[in-house]
Amino acid sequence: MAGLASFISPCCLPLYPSYLSYITGMSVQQIKTEQNKKEVRFRTMTHTLAFILGFSVVFYSLGLGAGFFGHFFSDNRGLIRQLSAILIMLMGLFLMGIFQPKFLMRERKMDLKFKPAGYIGSFIFGIGFSAGWSPCIGPILAAIIAMAVSEPGTWLALITAYTVGFAIPFFILAFFIGSTKWILKYSNLMMKIGGALMLLMGVLLFTDQMFKITIWLQQITPDWLKF
């Protein structure tokens, strides 16, 4: 759900057509009107896959670093858990619009002056897309990293779930090449709901009651989604 929220955020979804155009080298109008639909769809989806692999490298690198950090300071697990909980609560308040310092409202990303041709270029652009901070995606990913630090053994599952949640809608829209206007209508509301959930999870983590929501989620999650 955190990955999905990152994708539909106002910082990502409105720019989706531009990302698609940049990695394929075709305008959105060309993608929609090209007569050879099969060739265009194959090109669009394969470049999207290369782009997804690019940002996955960054996400997994951050998760791995968080896991190592948590293991290294395992003797201070209680303090790390509480500090992580405070960070998650602050990021939740940020998404809800209650706590928004100016330095977090600025976007900081790798400035790629040029894009290498082909799939390598799409892969590198995916790295550039995720290697930085944006006011919508940053707080959500920071919360996932904080959870990975507080429970070092969970970083792989957390990052995988987040990456899948982010990548699937990216891939689906590349297949259908449809409009995103109807999602944009509700994106701000969804971000505020996500912020409220992060605030709740932060409180539970700080008070060491996270197991309660984990038990509840385990009860409502189908067996095929558990890993």
Side-chain angles (χ1 to χ4, degrees):
M1 294 303 294
L4 177 61
S6 295
F7 177 78
I8 64 174
S9 69
C11 301
C12 180
L13 191 60
L15 299 175
Y16 174 78
S18 300
Y19 295 145
L20 202 61
S21 177
Y22 190 72
I23 62 178
T24 59
M26 302 172 64
S27 69
V28 176
Q29 192 62 31
Q30 281 181 304
I31 294 173
K32 288 183 176 181
T33 59
E34 187 68 42
Q35 291 183 352
N36 194 343
K37 288 292 184 181
K38 286 185 178 180
E39 183 180 336
V40 171
R41 183 164 282 131
F42 177 79
R43 181 176 175 181
T44 303
M45 295 185 71
T46 50
H47 276 278
T48 298
L49 181 59
F51 177 80
I52 289 170
L53 289 174
F55 68 64
S56 297
V57 167
V58 176
F59 293 161
Y60 277 102
S61 298
L62 290 171
L64 180 61
F68 276 129
F69 183 88
H71 277 299
F72 188 77
F73 293 99
S74 58
D75 292 340
N76 304 104
R77 177 171 289 186
L79 176 62
I80 290 175
R81 173 178 54 77
Q82 291 182 330
L83 291 175
S84 298
I86 291 172
L87 176 61
I88 292 172
M89 287 187 281
L90 287 175
M91 294 299 99
L93 291 172
F94 182 87
L95 290 180
M96 293 170 69
I98 298 172
F99 167 75
Q100 292 189 326
K102 289 183 179 179
F103 73 94
L104 291 181
M105 295 299 292
R106 297 171 185 163
E107 187 170 278
R108 298 174 180 86
K109 291 190 175 182
M110 288 178 61
D111 186 15
L112 297 177
K113 299 295 184 182
F114 66 94
K115 172 184 173 288
Y119 296 108
I120 294 177
S122 297
F123 177 81
I124 293 174
F125 184 59
I127 293 176
F129 166 81
S130 55
W133 171 273
S134 69
C136 302
I137 300 174
I140 301 173
L141 181 57
I144 299 298
I145 297 299
M147 290 181 67
V149 171
S150 64
E151 292 291 337
T154 64
W155 76 266
L156 182 61
L158 287 172
I159 294 297
T160 299
Y162 177 80
T163 303
V164 168
F166 195 102
I168 286 178
F170 215 107
F171 204 64
I172 289 175
L173 287 184
F175 180 80
F176 290 107
I177 317 176
S179 173
T180 58
K181 291 181 180 179
W182 65 275
I183 308 177
L184 279 171
K185 185 178 179 181
Y186 302 102
S187 62
N188 281 317
L189 175 61
M190 291 178 181
M191 293 297 287
K192 291 185 183 298
I193 293 173
L197 290 174
M198 284 169 59
L199 185 61
L200 173 62
M201 292 181 70
V203 171
L204 291 172
L205 186 62
F206 188 87
T207 57
D208 203 15
Q209 300 294 309
M210 196 70 175
F211 67 92
K212 291 185 177 180
I213 194 170
T214 303
I215 292 172
W216 177 71
L217 288 171
Q218 285 284 343
Q219 290 174 343
I220 66 171
T221 302
D223 291 335
W224 61 274
L225 272 178
K226 296 177 183 178
F227 61 90

